[in-house]
Amino acid sequence: MKHITSVKHMMMGTMGVVVLSALSGCQSAPEEQAGSEESVTQNKFLVVEQQPNGKYIIIEEMPTTGPSRAIIKETDENGTVSERVMSEAEMKELADQEYKKMEEGKSELNAEPQGEGMGLAGTILAAAGGALLGNMIGNALMNNKNVQRHQDASNRSAYHRSSAGGSNSATSNSQKKSFFGNSASRSTSSSSSFGG
Amino acid sequence: MISLQNITPIDDRTLEQFGFGWHTDSDQSKYIADELVVVSDREAEAYYEAVNKLYDMYAAAAQHVIDNNLFFDLGIPFNLIDVIKKSWENDVHWHLYGRFDLAGGIDGAPIKLIEFNADTPTSLFETAILQWALLKHNGMDEERQFNNIYEAISDNFRRLVTLFDDPAEFEKHYDGWKILFSSISGNLEEEQTVRLLQQMAIDAGFETGFEPLGGVKFDDEGIYDSAEEPYEYWFKLYPWEEIAIEEPELATQLTTIMQNQKAIILNPAYTLLFQSKGMMKILCDLFPDSPYLLKTSFEPLKGIQQVEKRMFGREGANVKIMDVSGNVTESNEGPYGNFKPIYQEYVEFPKDSNGHSYQAGVFFAYEACGLGFRRGGKILGNMSKFVGHLLC
């Protein structure tokens, strides 16, 4: 079957994360907007994938109003792919260990990235350190150039890539017109359906 | 015979959590089946090939219609002809996605085109997201499904900028152009379909906005949201022929906006040619030997069982099935009776052991990219059920 392509949630983008979050029993689905002005302590829903070289990258990242969660997708030496859900407590433990290493200058986050991917603890600390370990550590990570470089190298999520660019506001003084007065007000009628 | 595999459904609350609120039909029956259609790799591959071939045939037929000025034959409103021609002339008016409805394809029954929903297709959330979620929920292998719709449409958003070049080049060329997404207020299914498309566009790298149709503003310089923010692209889940008939002033305004090259409208106006069921008669004229086409005519067919449909009918409305003598054996009422009729050779849909009929819906976004099924009676109307699939 050379033509048709099946789905993997890495390809499902943000909606894949929203669905996985709901199916994994997360109290509330991640928020849908992507943006760059989130608080550093915003809880995160992550999808982390192990690469062939054993390192981890972030495939998807979403802010969530529920507890932080991660789905870890790993491949063993036989090529068998397994998935597990990591709880907030487990994430916190890993992030805490890695942050201690950082303070001792022994974490890979202390140095510039050598290509894509990191260890699992570093990956989680860089992406969700603020949410897991608090505002002060979050800000420290945010202001650490090496951590941010690691994030840029190993976080493929649209959420991380998105940067709210300034947009031009309308300057035209001409009279703009709206339509759909009739059809739009048919909204309460059960017959107003325009898809097919 | 359709082969089904039972699955555990996802509860309503979880469905609602990820944005799927239309899980229950108005008669309180569940819209999503607790089964999956079992499809072989070979059958899925045949759907893929059929739909790619059909799309090429539609493109050739659209050129034929434009070259020979056959708009009237297809029931195209006169006030859209300019905008259709303009959109056809330039590749920037990129067709984002459509859905082919097909009979056959299972158990050796030949694949036959029923119609092409090219302008405002729904069932997108069900096919792209929900049937995948059903596999995940049931611990099944997520790769055993013909479904890369999310990625295919995201890539097609990038092609709005890269056109025929590699969509991976998007970031190099993208200059902050924004897409405004609109659907009618108060229709959850349509709004969530549009918001799903918006999310695909965000994931593709676009800046986007959402504005209900009634809040969108227009002038000769462009298209704006209610805060008068201008957008370079406008996706509307609202049929072109409805704009022509219900909002003729807007049809004129959109023609001007396109002439001034101020905004690009999705799906493009030429998709109304594809959407017209009259195109299936043109296809029969141009491709008489195609194995995918049912005989179709603007006049009643003689001596065969056939189906009367209206040029722009939707969801099985205004459809009549007639026997060889022309007697109506089954019919659906609807609001599309003012459109011209077409007559299409009747074909049986594949059936399950309970006698339910199954129509395949194959999405197309640059190429065929995903399969889902509708289950119902002989005429598949808006009370038909969605059934996901599993490759075996």
Side-chain angles (χ1 to χ4, degrees), chain B residues 75-96:
Chain B
I76 303 295
F78 72 93
N79 55 350
L80 289 179
I81 292 174
D82 274 355
V83 82
I84 287 172
K85 286 179 175 172
K86 279 258 167 294
S87 66
W88 187 251
E89 283 164 9
N90 193 327
D91 289 331
V92 300
H93 301 283
W94 198 259
H95 189 185
L96 189 61

Side-chain angles (χ1 to χ4, degrees), chain A residues 3 6-9 11-14 27 83 168 170 174 176-178 180 183 187 192-196, chain B residues 17 45 48 99 120 122 136 142-143 145 147 150-151 184-185 187 190 203 218-219 228-229 247 249:
Chain A
H3 293 306
S6 58
V7 69
K8 296 176 181 169
H9 71 248
M11 299 177 190
M12 302 287 284
T14 307
Q27 287 293 310
E83 270 180 32
N168 305 321
S174 66
K176 298 178 182 65
K177 207 165 158 19
S178 297
F180 304 104
S183 42
S187 59
S192 62
S193 172
F194 295 104
Chain B
Q17 273 187 353
E45 185 76 20
Y48 172 88
R99 192 194 71 235
T120 58
T122 50
K136 295 293 290 184
E142 63 185 309
E143 298 194 22
Q145 199 167 73
N147 177 9
Y150 200 98
E151 190 188 20
I184 196 141
S185 314
N187 184 315
E190 294 185 4
D203 285 354
F218 306 85
D219 66 15
E228 304 210 348
E229 184 76 24
E247 305 286 355
E249 193 185 342

Side-chain angles (χ1 to χ4, degrees), chain B residues 45-185:
Chain B
E45 185 76 20
Y47 281 126
Y48 172 88
E49 282 172 12
V51 159
N52 289 342
K53 181 72 187 157
L54 282 166
Y55 195 87
D56 287 346
M57 289 159 61
Y58 264 93
Q63 189 64 58
H64 177 79
V65 167
I66 291 168
D67 291 346
N68 295 282
N69 209 23
L70 301 178
F71 300 99
F72 179 78
D73 292 0
L74 299 190
I76 303 295
F78 72 93
N79 55 350
L80 289 179
I81 292 174
D82 274 355
V83 82
I84 287 172
K85 286 179 175 172
K86 279 258 167 294
S87 66
W88 187 251
E89 283 164 9
N90 193 327
D91 289 331
V92 300
H93 301 283
W94 198 259
H95 189 185
L96 189 61
Y97 80 112
R99 192 194 71 235
F100 285 89
D101 289 341
L102 307 167
I106 302 284
D107 267 359
I111 294 171
K112 297 290 182 186
L113 173 66
I114 298 298
E115 59 191 53
F116 183 22
N117 296 282
D119 181 12
T120 58
T122 50
S123 294
L124 180 68
F125 202 114
E126 297 89 309
T127 315
I129 304 294
L130 186 59
Q131 64 169 345
W132 165 75
L134 286 170
L135 292 191
K136 295 293 290 184
H137 183 62
N138 282 272
M140 293 166 158
D141 182 354
E142 63 185 309
E143 298 194 22
R144 300 304 295 152
Q145 199 167 73
F146 172 22
N147 177 9
N148 65 319
I149 297 173
Y150 200 98
E151 190 188 20
I153 296 182
S154 291
D155 269 348
N156 235 7
F157 273 113
R158 295 186 183 105
R159 287 193 191 90
L160 293 173
V161 171
T162 64
L163 299 181
F164 291 100
D165 292 338
D166 184 352
E169 300 283 295
F170 171 81
E171 285 182 23
K172 202 190 291 179
H173 301 292
Y174 177 63
D175 195 21
W177 302 296
K178 301 189 294 299
I179 310 176
L180 182 63
F181 289 85
S182 297
S183 67
I184 196 141
S185 314

Side-chain angles (χ1 to χ4, degrees), chain B residues 7 46-47 50 59 96 99 125 167 184 187 197 245 259 264 287 292 335 349 366:
Chain B
I7 48 167
Y47 281 126
L96 189 61
R99 192 194 71 235
F125 202 114
I184 196 141
N187 184 315
L197 287 162
I245 296 160
Q259 275 166 351
I264 289 166
F287 304 99
Y292 303 125
F349 288 113
Y366 197 65

Side-chain angles (χ1 to χ4, degrees), chain B residues 353-378:
Chain B
S353 56
N354 293 319
H356 296 305
S357 296
Y358 288 73
Q359 176 179 272
V362 179
F363 279 85
F364 183 93
Y366 197 65
E367 62 176 345
C369 57
L371 167 70
F373 289 90
R374 284 278 188 157
R375 172 164 82 192
K378 283 188 169 178

Side-chain angles (χ1 to χ4, degrees), chain B residues 277 280-281 284 294-302 304-311 320 322 340-346:
Chain B
K277 298 186 202 328
M280 293 189 287
K281 192 266 181 190
C284 284
L294 294 165
K295 193 165 195 234
T296 306
S297 169
F298 296 142
E299 309 296 333
L301 296 159
K302 290 199 172 58
I304 59 168
Q305 206 177 353
Q306 61 195 278
V307 182
E308 180 191 301
K309 304 175 177 180
R310 298 288 158 164
M311 288 288 177
K320 289 178 192 165
M322 294 177 287
K340 291 199 291 187
I342 61 121
Y343 300 87
Q344 186 181 47
E345 178 187 350
Y346 176 79

